Amino acid sequence: MKLLRYIYTTIGVVGLAAPALAQEFISGLPRNETLIIQGPEAQNADWFNLWAPGGGAQANGNQQLSADTLWFINPEGSGEDAWQNALAAAPPEYNDDFTTMTVSLKDGIYWSDGQPFTAEDVVYTVETMIEHPGMNWSARLSVSVDTVEAIDDHTVVFNLKSPNSRFHTLFTVRWNAAWIMPKHIFSEYDDPLTASFNPPVSLSAYVLENYDSNGQWAIWRLRDDWERTSIGMTLDSAPEVTYVVYRTAGNPDARVIEQLNNNLDVINDIAPEGMFTIAREAADTTAQWLPGFPFAHPDPTLPSVLFNNQLDKLSDPRVRWALALMIDIRSVSMGSYRGAANIAALSVPPTGTAIPTYYEPMQEWLTNFELDTGESTIQPYNPDIAEQIAELVTPQWGDSIPPDPDLRREMFGFGWWNQDVDAAAELLRAAGFTQSGNSWLTPEGEPFTLTLQVEGDNIPTLARAGNIIAQQWSMNGVPTNINVAGPTHSQRLDVGDYEAAIFWTVETWGGHPDLSFFLESFHSDFIVPLGESQPPRNLQRWENAQLDDIIERNRVLAFDSPEVAELGVEYLKLAVEEMPFIPLMAYNKFAPFDTTYWTGYPSIENPYAASGPFWSNIRYMVTALERTGAE
């Protein structure tokens, strides 16, 4: 009780709702063989079809533990060490002009129902998605693939419509990718778009054991024939984790209590105060990515203010820039992350190879960048803002904040845009807006208001950032309402049902400077009308001819060509000029691990896998964990 009273006063817990849910659904599972992971609430829990949009069950272990595809890239790795062959036996082979890609598949892989995995499954996957425009990855496959053929049971040849040296990335997992469908199952369905694929047949080491139709939990069991999977073939012995439970765990404060009570081994994300509490109260039984402040794992993703560029009132870059200049990023950092954010002015996250490749070389360009407001010319970039944030948190964290400027930039980022409300007003006037008292009218004479959509408690730091930005816009004449979309957040972004939102559409490979991971999907070929499902990323629906040219030139460069970084710089300059979305920061995720039952979690000292439980790379962590011996 002393511990709980302390938590109440420390993080403001208002109840024990989540712990009171107890563990009834896992009461029959041996705790020392079970890994418990925080998962989201599944909106359509009976649905396991990963290839149809809006399935809603992708992050409950389905794609993380059951699906498989050709390759993986460890976002924490670098160079050749980051590359992992999954269903493919080797990296892709292209012809000289990148119009043909040949893939050799591993032999001896089986679906969980005993059927062999073959090249016919790959061909069926591609052809089925092309034939059904509503399916995930359909648009990119339709644009790219002329024909696909199985040469034999273990060789597939893709004939492309035009040169594309990045075609393999469609089947390369960093978070997810085009998963391979079981032909022997889906070919029996009348319509693959409406089939629930329940129960799912697994191609990886775990198979569905049970699930809650209300979306609160799902249990996955190690396959008896785990060695007949792509990841099983890489192991010397059977994984020690027999059961993996993805479960909801209440609000961020409840997650802290659950882990302190040893009922939650892996947290996806909590508020910084919760992380600080766990680090202080359970240091001996907790591991995390960084050993000290800011503790968090910096995902190579870029939380941003997304603008729906297809809406008239947000289609003008001058309007988007005006909204950027109304933001005080120091308040956003302190209010959302308690200063433990890594701010970003460029449209790539300041992590991994992006720092030496883009952030450091572009500081001079950013400092000299001039913005024409229509009434004056300003240089909006302030290279010292991250340093100012470091000074704000130094009184609390003292020696944890290093004096070395280079180390501080790794922790807090580089510069950002000065808050400049006068320049914002000039930009709005230049765009045809008129001021009426303390508010603005659009060129059509309508009140200029906004709704800013956030997910909510599932990502508390970003919900806080959204609230702060909405307040700043409102204070500066653009009344802004917050819409907490909860688990429908991504679905609404997908069909363009939003005005502005806090989310990310930029994700990088992490250990490689190539930007095709997200940039390829930004091509205008993939943009659809409002109301239709936008292919993955480019949720802001930004359309630009210069951007298309950059993407098309990148398609004919080899993955490791030095020119890749040069094209990356071109993209970053264009994104600053157009401001299709406002980059905020790298996504620092507070994801502590309970080491009571399991040990061997990834860390900055041993970055063998991604640490986020929603990432499909987590299978490499699950199969590597070792029992501590606790019963």
Side-chain angles (χ1 to χ4, degrees):
M1 286 305 295
K2 183 184 293 183
L3 174 62
L4 293 181
R5 279 197 300 272
Y6 178 83
I7 294 168
Y8 285 146
T9 56
T10 302
I11 59 178
V13 177
V14 296
L16 281 176
L21 291 174
Q23 310 298 308
E24 294 178 1
F25 60 95
I26 59 171
S27 60
L29 303 181
R31 183 65 179 90
N32 62 355
E33 296 181 26
T34 304
L35 181 73
I36 304 176
I37 294 174
Q38 177 207 331
E41 179 180 355
Q43 290 303 293
N44 189 5
D46 298 320
W47 186 271
F48 292 88
N49 186 344
L50 292 168
W51 301 271
Q58 291 92 337
N60 66 351
N62 192 13
Q63 72 175 24
Q64 291 77 13
L65 301 171
S66 175
D68 208 352
T69 188
L70 304 179
W71 303 282
F72 279 63
I73 281 186
N74 177 5
E76 310 302 338
S78 61
E80 294 181 357
D81 292 339
W83 186 269
Q84 296 157 313
N85 296 319
L87 296 175
E93 296 180 17
Y94 286 98
N95 63 350
D96 290 341
D97 65 358
F98 301 106
T99 55
T100 299
M101 183 181 82
T102 302
V103 183
S104 298
L105 302 175
K106 290 177 180 174
D107 191 7
I109 293 176
Y110 288 80
W111 296 91
S112 60
D113 61 0
Q115 292 295 312
F117 160 73
T118 71
E120 291 295 337
D121 291 309
V122 178
V123 172
Y124 176 80
T125 298
V126 174
E127 291 181 341
T128 300
M129 284 198 276
I130 290 175
E131 292 167 1
H132 297 81
M135 300 190 81
N136 294 331
W137 304 286
S138 174
R140 290 182 62 188
L141 287 169
S142 298
V143 168
S144 301
V145 177
D146 184 13
T147 61
V148 56
E149 54 188 324
I151 302 303
D152 54 44
D153 281 351
H154 302 104
T155 306
V156 181
V157 174
F158 294 84
N159 299 302
L160 307 181
K161 292 179 178 177
S162 59
N164 187 352
S165 62
R166 302 297 189 280
F167 178 71
H168 65 278
T169 62
L170 263 169
F171 300 94
T172 305
V173 175
R174 170 195 162 280
W175 192 86
N176 77 347
W179 305 108
I180 303 304
M181 306 169 72
K183 178 182 178 181
H184 64 286
I185 300 291
F186 271 81
S187 61
E188 298 298 317
Y189 295 143
D190 292 333
D191 183 356
L193 272 166
T194 60
S196 65
F197 190 44
N198 185 0
V201 176
S202 170
L203 190 54
S204 194
Y206 289 81
V207 65
L208 183 68
E209 174 77 0
N210 200 355
Y211 73 99
D212 174 31
S213 59
N214 292 316
Q216 299 299 307
W217 51 266
I219 301 173
W220 303 84
R221 174 179 50 79
L222 181 67
R223 283 172 54 175
D224 295 336
D225 63 340
W226 56 268
E227 71 277 16
R228 299 201 303 179
T229 63
S230 70
I231 193 168
M233 290 178 172
T234 68
L235 304 175
D236 296 327
S237 59
E240 296 189 17
V241 175
T242 304
Y243 298 97
V244 181
V245 176
Y246 272 79
R247 52 157 298 199
T248 59
N251 64 33
D253 293 343
R255 296 169 207 161
V256 174
I257 295 174
E258 287 285 66
Q259 187 162 92
L260 289 173
N261 288 336
N262 309 128
N263 292 327
L264 187 61
D265 298 313
V266 180
I267 288 177
N268 178 58
D269 203 6
I270 50 178
E273 297 84 357
M275 181 67 247
F276 302 157
T277 297
I278 289 176
R280 183 171 53 241
E281 295 302 313
D284 293 340
T285 57
T286 301
Q288 61 276 327
W289 188 259
L290 291 171
F293 185 87
F295 303 103
H297 175 266
D299 281 3
T301 55
L302 188 72
S304 307
V305 180
L306 303 187
F307 295 120
N308 190 334
N309 284 226
Q310 287 183 319
L311 298 179
D312 288 341
K313 63 182 177 182
L314 293 170
S315 62
D316 190 325
R318 294 170 294 189
V319 177
R320 302 192 292 261
W321 253 109
L323 292 167
L325 295 179
M326 292 179 184
I327 295 173
D328 180 351
I329 195 65
R330 294 168 301 182
S331 298
V332 176
S333 175
M334 294 301 295
S336 60
Y337 271 95
R338 298 294 185 262
N342 195 336
I343 63 172
L346 293 174
S347 291
V348 289
T351 60
T353 58
I355 294 176
T357 306
Y358 300 119
Y359 273 87
E360 291 176 349
M362 292 187 68
Q363 287 304 298
E364 182 177 358
W365 182 85
L366 284 166
T367 301
N368 295 325
F369 171 71
E370 294 185 339
L371 182 64
D372 182 0
T373 69
E375 299 174 24
S376 64
T377 300
I378 64 171
Q379 291 180 315
Y381 186 70
N382 183 342
D384 299 323
I385 285 186
E387 178 65 22
Q388 294 171 13
I389 296 172
E391 292 299 324
L392 289 172
V393 301
T394 296
Q396 179 181 3
W397 294 101
D399 293 341
S400 297
I401 311 301
D404 186 329
D406 291 337
L407 292 178
R408 287 191 175 205
R409 280 194 288 272
E410 289 185 11
M411 296 171 65
F412 300 99
F414 290 76
W416 214 75
W417 316 112
N418 280 316
Q419 186 183 40
D420 191 338
V421 178
D422 291 337
E426 292 174 3
L427 285 161
L428 288 177
R429 284 194 290 271
F433 287 61
T434 54
Q435 199 157 12
S436 176
N438 191 38
S439 300
W440 288 93
L441 301 176
T442 67
E444 293 74 31
E446 300 293 329
F448 183 35
T449 63
L450 286 174
T451 296
L452 181 60
Q453 181 173 298
V454 299
E455 182 168 352
D457 280 346
N458 193 47
I459 309 181
T461 48
L462 301 191
R464 293 179 183 179
N467 276 280
I468 295 166
I469 290 168
Q471 292 172 11
Q472 293 179 348
W473 285 350
S474 296
M475 290 174 61
N476 292 298
V478 183
T480 304
N481 294 318
I482 284 287
N483 175 29
V484 180
T488 67
H489 189 47
S490 60
Q491 288 96 327
R492 294 186 59 180
L493 296 175
D494 177 57
V495 296
D497 182 21
Y498 77 101
E499 293 184 339
I502 305 295
F503 202 62
W504 55 83
T505 59
V506 171
E507 307 178 35
T508 60
W509 293 111
H512 195 285
D514 176 67
L515 300 181
S516 66
F517 183 80
F518 70 92
L519 199 57
E520 174 63 27
S521 64
F522 279 21
H523 196 282
S524 62
D525 283 346
F526 308 123
I527 293 177
V528 297
L530 289 175
E532 295 184 15
S533 178
Q534 178 70 31
R537 308 186 185 90
N538 199 12
L539 298 175
Q540 65 278 354
R541 298 163 182 251
W542 177 31
E543 184 172 0
N544 182 284
Q546 189 176 342
L547 177 65
D548 285 350
D549 177 65
I550 292 171
I551 294 168
E552 290 163 8
R553 284 187 283 148
N554 202 46
R555 287 175 179 169
V556 293
L557 287 177
F559 197 56
D560 294 321
S561 169
E563 295 176 62
V564 165
E566 296 175 12
L567 286 179
V569 170
E570 281 192 46
Y571 153 75
L572 292 171
K573 290 181 177 179
L574 179 64
V576 167
E577 293 163 357
E578 292 285 312
M579 196 63 75
F581 51 88
I582 305 173
L584 297 175
M585 58 192 74
Y587 183 20
N588 274 2
K589 182 178 287 187
F590 300 100
F593 305 115
D594 185 354
T595 60
T596 301
Y597 294 98
W598 300 102
T599 188
Y601 294 102
S603 68
I604 193 170
E605 291 87 8
N606 186 19
Y608 67 89
S611 64
F614 296 174
W615 292 54
S616 297
N617 291 272
I618 198 175
R619 68 188 62 192
Y620 291 97
M621 183 190 90
V622 171
T623 54
L625 293 179
E626 299 176 355
R627 295 184 189 127
T628 63
E631 297 294 333

